[in-house]
């Protein structure tokens, strides 16, 4: 996992400027300005590729709940999150200096994380999606302004809106979804896009310090995506937190997030007006008020425990030796590895924390001095006396008592999920920092070959060894699927190649909602969801099909009641299964009629 650069702890602006003057430089671009030459940074190499061993992470919503079946893309590779919000890519070729993953979920702004890739190493992320909050509507012809309660505002000029896809002039009502990303937010590292590196107007990659970001999207009356017309500009007003007011410059560069390369791009400036920054923008996406600072060098390190086992899910961050926060932050992957960019020619303090569980007390501290050459910090060993590292291990066996070589265990510690894969002997290791002894967690194992799973067990984690012995992934079938046929054409969504999930249905009670998603080759996606009634549900009962939609049909209506035969109904954590057949009608137009037959088996979450 690579470091990202939020401005979570304040650096006094004048102090920061004095530091920048002492930073060395690599081979750099220069600008000619009024007869002088100004160094502006390292030219951007966005073509060199390397192969990362594994890119993985967890995706959650704004309430820290796992996001199911979220499409995740990196380069040309596509996967989706499982019911725990987990995703992974193995042995994937990426751009070395700006590899990134993108998560796209309806109702949320895109979640995007960028990193500097190391050949043969992995990267790990926790991505918290930002909901699209409706700030209000304005008329495209007259223009207008909407303001959120936090004082983020969007002002549109008259006759300046076009259809984003066609470029045609739009004259109806414009819905404005907007979100302010507070630079002081405790979850800034998880919610912001990219890694706070940007390309300045001279084409150089620079590290950034943020004074606030926004996410804005315009849609029309029919849900079509809108944009600002060529030659027109809208105005964004960013709130300025009180903690930053004293150090905020009178003018600050504006940067938009470029989704094609995973980096911010300098475009214009914003002016400090009272407790806000105000600037004009030519399109809408993520926008950011940032000070570019320092030249950077790449670093890498691996965190291990006293036995030499990698420690995953550790929060690594760098500060200046005078206490100012550099903004460099990252989370170790399953191999304990983390890498990224840090200031060059600087005296720094490296600290290691737990991630979210007990985040305020460092368990490791080290002074680091950088030059203008990339630095490898090697192996960082956490002391058994100064930190609590739970070493969780065991062997996963199948129904025949043989090692599970294709499986995993899922450890749930608070709202944090941590996954550990089995090796060729069925052995798993998860090493993570805990807050003292007796931290309560749950764990279960899945055999991906036989699709059998163990029961879920509660454990009290202690500092040091937590040997769980043998865990038998047997007794409950993990087989999950939604198989359906539309007018004679079969479609299959099957775990583990696809994601199968259950969600509560907030619109109809009592009801159960189920669905699935599977990414195929050539960016083709199969997806389906259904809602059934829940009246005295049990094996052998008959329920009503209340909703059905799929990638093939879109949302449908049900002209004649469809009976759903329930063949299996276990407790939460077990499975619901059934089948049905009937007719559904696609949305207008063309109101296509489909003969639908479906069988399903879905793990219960509710």
């Amino acid at each position: 996992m690579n470091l990202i650069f939020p401005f979570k702890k304040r650096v006094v602006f004048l102090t920061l400027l004095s530091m920048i003057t002492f930073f060395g430089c690599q081979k750099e671009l220069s600008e000619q300005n009024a007869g002088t030459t100004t160094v502006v940074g390292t030219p951007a190499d966005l073509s060199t590729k390397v192969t990362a061993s594994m890119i993985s992470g967890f995706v959650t919503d704004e309430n820290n709940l796992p996001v199911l079946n979220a499409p995740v893309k990196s380069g040309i590779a596509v996967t989706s999150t499982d019911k725990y919000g987990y995703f992974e890519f193995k042995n994937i070729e990426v751009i070395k200096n700006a590899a990134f993953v993108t998560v796209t979920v309806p109702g949320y702004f895109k979640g995007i994380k960028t990193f500097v890739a190391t050949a043969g190493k992995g990267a790990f992320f926790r991505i918290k999606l930002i909901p699209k909050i409706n700030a209000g509507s304005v008329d495209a012809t007259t223009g207008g302004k909407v303001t959120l309660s936090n004082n983020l505002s969007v002002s549109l000029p008259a006759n300046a809106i076009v259809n984003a896809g066609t470029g045609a002039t739009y004259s109806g009502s414009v819905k404005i979804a907007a979100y302010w990303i507070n630079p002081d937010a405790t979850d800034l590292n998880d919610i912001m896009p990219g890694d706070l590196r940007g390309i300045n107007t001279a084409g150089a990659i620079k590290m950034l310090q943020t004074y606030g970001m926004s996410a804005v999207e315009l849609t029309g009356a029919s849900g079509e995506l809108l944009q600002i017309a060529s030659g027109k500009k809208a105005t964004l007003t960013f709130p300025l937190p009180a903690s930053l007011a004293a150090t905020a410059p009178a003018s600050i560069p504006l940067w938009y997030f470029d989704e094609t390369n995973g980096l911010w791009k300098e475009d214009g400036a914003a002016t400090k007006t009272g407790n806000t920054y105000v600037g004009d923008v030519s399109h809408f996406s993520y926008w950011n008020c940032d000070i570019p600072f320092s030249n950077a060098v790449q670093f890498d390190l691996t965190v291990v425990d006293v036995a030499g086992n990698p420690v995953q899910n550790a929060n690594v961050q760098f500060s200046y030796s005078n206490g100012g926060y550099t903004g460099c932050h990252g989370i170790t992957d399953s191999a304990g590895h983390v890498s990224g960019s840090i200031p060059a020619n600087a005296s720094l303090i490296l600290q290691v924390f737990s991630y979210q569980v007990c985040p305020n007390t460092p368990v490791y501290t080290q002074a680091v001095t950088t030059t203008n050459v990339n630095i490898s910090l090697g192996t960082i060993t956490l002391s058994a006396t100064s930190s609590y590292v739970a070493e969780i291990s065991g062997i996963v066996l199948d129904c025949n008592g043989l090692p599970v070589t294709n499986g995993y265990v899922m450890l749930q510690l608070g709202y944090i999920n941590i996954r550990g894969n089995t090796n060729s002997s069925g052995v798993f290791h998860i090493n993570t920092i805990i807050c003292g002894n007796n931290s309560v967690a749950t764990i279960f194992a899945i055999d991906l070959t036989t699709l059998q799973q163990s029961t879920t067990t509660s454990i009290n984690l202690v500092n040091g060894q937590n040997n769980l012995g043998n865990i038998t992934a047997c007794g409950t079938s993990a087989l999950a699927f939604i198989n359906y046929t539309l007018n004679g054409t079969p479609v299959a969504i099957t775990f583990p190649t696809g994601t199968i999930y259950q969600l509560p249905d907030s619109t109809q009670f009592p009801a159960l909602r189920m669905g699935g998603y599977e990414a195929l080759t050539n960016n083709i996606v199969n997806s389906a969801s259904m809602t059934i009634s829940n009246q005295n549900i049990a094996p052998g009962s008959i329920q009503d099909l209340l909703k059905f939609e799929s990638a093939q049909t879109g949302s449908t209506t049900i002209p004649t009641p469809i009976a759903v035969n329930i063949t299996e109904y276990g407790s939460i954590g077990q499975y619901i299964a059934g089948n049905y057949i009937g007719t559904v009608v696609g949305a207008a137009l063309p109101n296509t009629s489909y003969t639908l037959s479906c069988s399903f088996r879905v793990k219960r979450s509710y």
Side-chain angles (χ1 to χ4, degrees):
M1 161 63 192
N2 283 67
L3 295 189
I4 54 182
F5 312 104
F7 197 5
K8 286 181 63 180
K9 295 180 182 176
R10 294 303 121 207
V11 181
V12 175
F13 183 63
L14 292 177
T15 302
L16 177 61
L17 287 179
S18 66
M19 290 176 181
I20 293 173
T21 63
F22 293 99
F23 286 162
C25 57
Q26 299 167 299
K27 183 179 179 182
E28 294 162 324
L29 296 174
S30 298
E31 290 178 334
Q32 299 296 325
N33 186 14
T36 63
T37 300
T38 302
V39 173
V40 294
T42 305
D45 174 8
L46 300 180
S47 60
T48 301
K49 296 182 178 181
V50 297
T51 299
S53 58
M54 183 165 70
I55 301 171
S56 61
F58 288 91
V59 180
T60 62
D61 65 14
E62 68 275 25
N63 298 311
N64 295 312
L65 297 175
V67 177
L68 314 171
N69 80 302
V72 185
K73 184 177 182 181
S74 184
I76 61 173
V78 178
T79 188
S80 59
T81 56
D82 64 16
K83 66 170 293 184
Y84 307 103
Y86 180 78
F87 69 90
E88 69 177 28
F89 299 95
K90 292 183 178 179
N91 298 318
I92 178 174
E93 188 178 63
V94 293
I95 299 296
K96 174 178 173 55
N97 286 330
F100 62 99
V101 296
T102 302
V103 183
T104 307
V105 176
Y108 292 87
F109 291 100
K110 289 181 180 179
I112 307 173
K113 292 300 174 187
T114 308
F115 63 102
V116 179
T118 302
K121 297 291 187 178
F124 178 83
F125 304 97
R126 292 193 180 273
I127 301 173
K128 187 174 181 178
L129 297 179
I130 297 173
K132 292 180 181 177
I133 298 173
N134 185 23
S137 299
V138 302
D139 184 86
T141 302
T142 61
K145 180 179 180 179
V146 298
T147 303
L148 272 65
S149 59
N150 54 34
N151 291 325
L152 173 70
S153 72
V154 181
S155 181
L156 303 181
N159 300 308
I161 306 300
V162 297
N163 184 295
T166 66
T169 300
Y170 179 82
S171 58
S173 176
V174 181
K175 297 178 182 178
I176 302 176
Y179 190 95
W180 176 54
I181 302 176
N182 186 344
D184 278 336
T186 58
D187 57 359
L188 177 65
N189 301 317
D190 298 338
I191 64 177
M192 72 174 191
D195 63 355
L196 272 182
R197 288 179 300 143
I199 299 178
N200 66 10
T201 54
I205 293 182
K206 302 292 289 182
M207 295 172 62
L208 306 175
Q209 294 278 17
T210 181
Y211 277 75
M213 311 178 199
S214 70
V216 178
E217 182 179 275
L218 309 181
T219 53
S222 300
E224 65 271 42
L225 189 62
L226 305 176
Q227 266 297 357
I228 303 169
S230 178
K232 301 284 188 176
K233 287 192 175 183
T235 300
L236 275 176
T237 300
F238 299 80
L240 181 60
S243 61
L244 300 180
T247 63
S251 178
I252 193 168
L254 276 175
W255 311 68
Y256 71 86
F257 193 79
D258 188 344
E259 295 181 10
T260 64
N261 61 29
L263 296 169
W264 295 92
K265 189 170 183 179
E266 186 178 1
D267 187 2
T271 301
K272 184 181 177 185
T273 305
N275 60 350
T276 67
Y277 273 119
V278 181
D280 292 336
V281 299
S282 58
H283 65 278
F284 280 119
S285 58
Y286 285 102
W287 282 90
N288 198 349
C289 299
D290 284 272
I291 300 171
F293 78 101
S294 93
N295 296 298
V297 293
Q298 303 302 314
F299 90 98
D300 70 90
L301 63 84
T302 299
V303 181
V304 301
D305 64 13
V306 291
N309 298 313
V311 176
Q312 62 194 100
N313 207 54
N315 182 354
V316 177
Q317 71 178 37
F318 287 83
S319 301
Y320 291 107
S321 57
N322 69 350
Y325 185 43
T326 66
C328 303
H329 157 97
I331 307 170
T332 56
D333 63 12
S334 60
H337 178 257
V338 65
S339 63
S341 298
I342 53 178
N345 292 337
S347 295
L348 305 174
I349 300 296
L350 160 68
Q351 292 179 306
V352 180
F353 298 82
S354 169
Y355 180 83
Q356 295 293 345
V357 183
C358 44
N360 298 319
T361 304
V363 297
Y364 179 88
T365 300
Q366 174 186 333
V368 175
T369 300
T370 60
T371 63
N372 60 354
V373 178
N374 293 341
I375 182 172
S376 176
L377 297 175
T379 299
I380 302 297
T381 302
L382 301 184
S383 168
T385 58
S386 63
S387 62
Y388 287 95
V389 179
E391 306 168 28
I392 308 147
S393 62
I395 301 175
V396 180
L397 304 177
D398 64 16
C399 293
N400 297 315
L402 299 175
V404 171
T405 59
N406 179 28
Y408 65 86
V409 296
M410 187 68 74
L411 180 76
Q412 296 174 302
L413 184 59
Y415 66 84
I416 299 298
N417 292 322
I418 306 174
R419 174 167 160 153
N421 294 329
T422 59
N423 64 16
S424 59
S425 300
V427 176
F428 69 89
H429 287 279
I430 296 176
N431 286 11
T432 192
I433 303 169
I434 59 174
C435 295
N437 283 318
N438 298 315
S439 294
V440 178
T442 61
I443 195 168
F444 67 89
I446 286 184
D447 182 345
L448 292 174
T449 300
T450 63
L451 293 178
Q452 290 283 313
Q453 73 177 54
S454 72
T455 57
T456 299
T457 303
S458 179
I459 54 177
N460 291 320
L461 299 178
V462 298
N463 186 32
Q465 291 287 340
N466 293 259
N467 192 329
L468 305 185
N470 295 335
I471 299 178
T472 302
C474 185
T476 300
S477 172
L479 179 65
F481 58 85
I482 297 176
N483 298 330
Y484 59 99
T485 300
L486 292 166
N487 290 344
T489 300
V491 180
I493 303 173
T494 306
F495 173 83
T497 56
T499 296
I500 309 295
Y501 62 90
Q502 184 193 24
L503 289 172
D505 193 309
S506 60
T507 61
Q508 300 190 50
F509 290 100
L512 294 173
R513 180 183 171 199
M514 297 166 284
Y517 169 94
E518 187 162 358
L520 308 179
T521 58
N522 300 320
N523 292 327
I524 297 174
V525 173
N526 279 333
S527 63
S529 67
M530 69 191 95
T531 301
I532 66 173
S533 62
N534 183 13
Q535 301 285 350
N536 300 315
I537 194 168
S541 68
I542 304 295
Q543 305 298 321
D544 292 327
L545 180 67
L546 304 177
K547 295 180 182 178
F548 178 85
E549 58 183 303
S550 70
Q552 294 77 20
T553 64
S555 180
T556 68
T557 57
I558 305 172
T560 304
I562 297 176
V564 181
N565 306 298
I566 302 300
T567 58
E568 180 182 358
Y569 191 74
S571 58
I572 292 175
Q574 297 179 326
Y575 289 82
I576 176 174
N579 56 77
Y580 54 88
I581 187 170
T583 299
V584 296
V585 177
L589 292 168
N591 300 107
T592 303
S593 180
Y594 298 91
T595 298
L596 166 68
S597 62
C598 179
S599 61
F600 60 88
R601 188 173 193 264
V602 177
K603 187 174 184 179
R604 288 194 60 205
S605 301
Y606 301 92

